[in-house]
Amino acid sequence: MAYQVLARKCRPQRFAEIVGQEHITRTLQNAILSNRVGHAYLFVGSRGIGKTTTARIFAKALNCEAGLVAEPCCACPSCLEIAAGASLDVIEIDGASHNKVEHVRELRENVQYTPARGRYKVYIIDEVHMLTPQAWNALLKTLEEPPPHIKFLFATTEPHKVLPTIVSRCQRFDLKRLSVKLIAGRLREIAAAERIAIDDGALVAIARAADGGMRDGQSIFDQIISFCGAVGEAGRPIGETDVIDVFGLASAGELAETATALLEHDIAALLATVNGLADRGRDLERYFGDLILFFRNLMVCQVCRDPASLLDVSDAEMTDLKALAEQVEPGLVQRVLEGLVAEDSRLRNAMNKRVHLEAALAGVAREARGVQIDDILARLAKMRQGGAGPTAAPPPPAAAPRKLVLPGREKAPHPAAATPVLTAAAPVGTAATPPDRPPAVSAATSPAVPAPPPAPPAADATVSPAVPTIAGPATTPTVAAPPAEPVPVPPIAPAAVVVPPAEPAAAVVAPVAPVVAASAAAPSAYPAGETGASPSANPGLDVMESDDDAVEDMSADAPDWAEAEELAEPPPDMVEAAPAAVTEPSAEEVARLWHNVIAEVAKLPGRHQIKLYLQELRPISMRGGVLEVAYDDEFPAEHVRLIQLPENAELLGNVLRGLVPEANARVLLKHYIPGVSDDRRRRGRVASPEVRERVAGNPFVQGILRLFGGELVDVRG
C-alpha cells in the first residue's frame, strides 16, 4: 500500500478521540441522544483543529446502523463508507471550488431525493466562506426550511465573511486552539504506536511550532521523522536539537538565557546570542515573538498565585519561569515587556532583521535599567517631606545588577566580563556607579551634598531660613551630581555666592520663591542652608516637566512652566506685619475671564484660527495680573508655537489688560501636569510690592536667575 501521512492515518474516528474540543463533542452527543439534532451546523476555528473531522464523526453517528448512539461503531458498512469518503449519503463539497450559483442550484435540486441507505443525507461544505453572496442567496430558502432528511454541516476559518442571515440559521460551534500539552501528549501516543523514539523536549518543540493546530503538529512530526532517518526502538532518539535545526526555532534554554541577559543588562551576552542564532539559521522574527511570550509568561508568574492555570508551557519552562520570577523585580519585567512589544511591529517591517534585533534588545536593556519617572517623583515627594537633607551620610557604592541563576544551569562568565572597564574617578561624595547600569534616582542612592560651615547670625539682623548665609571669605561648595551617562562626570564648580550684610533688626527678610528652571542633569550651584532641605527641595524653586535627562529651557519664547511648591511658613516672631489679604478669583471666575478673553479675540479681524486654538486651552489661575492657561499632551506643538509668537502674546496681553485693572496683566501659557498644575494645594499669601522689590534685588535670587536663565514671576510670603 502507498504510504499514508500521519495526519490522515491518525485522524480521529470517534468523538472520544477528538482532543481539546470537549465542549463541542459533548453538545453533539447530547443532541443525538435526546433526538434534538438541528438541520444546520457551523463549525468555526483556525486550520487543523478538527472542524471537518468533527463534521464527519457527527455524520457517522447520525447514520450508524447501530442506531442514534453517542459514539459511532466504526464497524458497520455506513461508518466504513463515510470514513473512506465513498458514502452516497454524506457528500463533502469544497466551498472554494463550488462557490457559484449553478453549483448551489444543482445542490438544491439533489436535496429533494431521499438518502440511499442511511437516515439522513448530510452535506459537509468546507471553507464555506468562499461562497459568493449570490450562491448564498440561492441556498437561503433551502437552508431555512430543508426537507426532514437533510442536514447541513458547514466549516470555515473566517466566519466574518459568512452572511449574517446564514449564521442566524445555523448552530455555531467555535473550536479552540490546542495547547502545547495536548498536542505533545497526542504526538507521544502516535510515537508509541509508530515505535518512534523521541525526547519530550522534541515533542514540546514540535507542539510549539504547530501553533495550536493538531494537523500541523502531525505534519511537522512526519517531516522530523524523515529528517532523522529510520529510527526505531534501538535507534537514536529524536532530540530537541533536530526540531530546532529543521524549523529554525529557538529552544527554551536559549530564550531563558536571552531573558536573563536582558534582565542583567548584559549587552555583550545579548549580541553573542543573536550572533549564534543568526549563524545557525534561526528565524529571528519567530525568535523575537517567542521572547515576548516568555516575558509575558514571566509577568504572569509574578502576579498570579496559580500561574500554571494560565500558562501553556512545559514543566521545565515553568521551573525556569518561577526561578526568574523570584529573583527579578516586577517593575523591571514590565518595562522589558513593554519595550519588546513596542519593537515588535518595527522588526516585522525591518529590512535587516539582525541589526534591528540587536539594536532593539540593547535599547530595551538600557531603557529598563534607566532612570524612571516614578523614581524621580518619589524622590521629589520625599524631598518635600524633608527626608533627603544635605547632612545625610554618604550612601554605600551602588551594587551591580546581580546575576540571575536558573535551576540546573550554571552560566559561564562571558569573555567580555573579564575586560576591565576604565572609568573616570568619581568626585568626592559621589557613589561609584557600575558602567553597565545607569544610576537610579532615589533617596537611598542620592549623593550626599556637603553643607557649608554654619555662620553665627549678626546680633542686629534676622535672616530667613530660605536664604543661606555664608560668612567670611567666599567659598566654592562642591556638589556631586549623579551622572547621566555610565561614566561619572566631574561636578561643575559654581561661582561663589556672597550675601550682603544683614539689615537692621527692624527689616526682616521674608521667605522668597524665585521661579527658576533647574536642569536634571546639571548639579545645583547653591548648597542648602541650615534648614536641612536639599537644593532640589528648596520650596522657592519651580520644578519643570523633565524629559529624561534634560529640562526644557524656560525662555520668554517657550515658558513651559510647572507650579511652584508652597513655601514653608516662617516662625511667628520672624514675620513682619502681613499686608492686607488679597482675594484670588475662584475657578469659575478665572474660567469666565478666559471666556471673555477668547470672545474679545474673536472680534478682531483675522484671528479666527488662533481663537480656535485658545478654546482648547484650560484656565488655571489668576495671580498678580498673570492669567495662567495650560495645554495637555494632545495639544499640537505647532499650535503652542503659534500662540507664543510675539505678536500673539502681545495681543493676548492687550486684551487681558482691557478686562482687568492690572496694568501689567499678561497671559502665561504652560504645560498642564495633573496633580501639579491644578490648584488643589493650599495657597500662600501674596507678597506686598515692597517685599517683591526686596526679593528682586536680593543677590542670591539674582544669582539663581542668572544661573538658570529664569524669570521672577511670583513672590509669596
Side-chain angles (χ1 to χ4, degrees), residues 513-518 538-544 554 561-565 713 716:
V515 181
V516 296
N538 190 336
L541 296 181
D542 257 351
V543 182
M544 295 182 58
M554 185 168 53
W561 296 46
E563 290 287 324
E565 300 176 10
V713 173
R716 284 177 260 169

Side-chain angles (χ1 to χ4, degrees), residues 600-646:
E600 293 297 328
V601 171
K603 296 178 182 179
L604 301 176
R607 302 295 179 176
H608 177 72
Q609 194 67 29
I610 190 174
K611 171 227 171 184
L612 298 178
Y613 299 159
L614 296 178
Q615 290 177 343
E616 301 180 18
L617 301 178
R618 178 187 307 183
I620 301 296
S621 63
M622 179 71 180
R623 304 192 202 101
V626 178
L627 175 58
E628 297 181 353
V629 294
Y631 59 91
D632 54 18
D633 295 333
E634 299 180 357
F635 195 73
E638 294 78 7
H639 298 178
V640 175
R641 288 193 290 268
L642 178 63
I643 297 175
Q644 291 176 344
L645 291 177

Side-chain angles (χ1 to χ4, degrees), residues 457-542:
D460 56 346
T462 303
V463 183
S464 169
V467 181
T469 304
I470 304 176
T475 60
T476 304
T478 303
V479 180
E485 298 294 333
V487 179
V489 180
I492 302 174
V497 179
V498 181
V499 178
E503 298 181 4
V508 181
V509 180
V512 298
V515 181
V516 296
S519 173
S524 174
Y526 294 89
E530 297 296 322
T531 60
S534 62
S536 299
N538 190 336
L541 296 181
D542 257 351

Side-chain angles (χ1 to χ4, degrees), residues 139 159 257 259 313 376 447 454 463 472 544 547 576 599 689:
L139 185 62
E257 292 177 1
V313 296
I376 298 176
V463 183
M544 295 182 58
D547 184 8
E576 61 181 354

Side-chain angles (χ1 to χ4, degrees), residues 26-88:
R26 179 180 177 182
T27 304
L28 296 177
Q29 288 175 324
N30 291 338
I32 295 174
L33 294 177
S34 60
N35 198 18
R36 299 179 63 88
V37 180
H39 64 275
Y41 291 85
L42 178 62
F43 298 99
V44 177
S46 58
R47 68 184 189 278
I49 59 175
K51 299 184 297 297
T52 308
T53 299
T54 303
R56 282 187 179 182
I57 297 175
F58 189 35
K60 287 197 296 184
L62 291 177
N63 287 333
C64 183
E65 295 182 1
L68 292 175
V69 293
E71 289 284 4
C73 67
C74 297
C76 64
S78 177
C79 291
L80 295 177
E81 289 177 358
I82 294 175
S87 176
L88 298 177

Side-chain angles (χ1 to χ4, degrees), residues 100-111 134-135 138-139 142:
K100 298 182 180 179
V101 177
E102 50 268 24
H103 298 141
V104 174
R105 289 175 180 171
E106 181 181 354
L107 183 151
R108 191 173 58 184
E109 293 175 358
N110 293 332
V111 299
Q134 294 79 10
L139 185 62
T142 303

Side-chain angles (χ1 to χ4, degrees), residues 415-423 435:
T419 304
V421 180
L422 302 180
T423 57

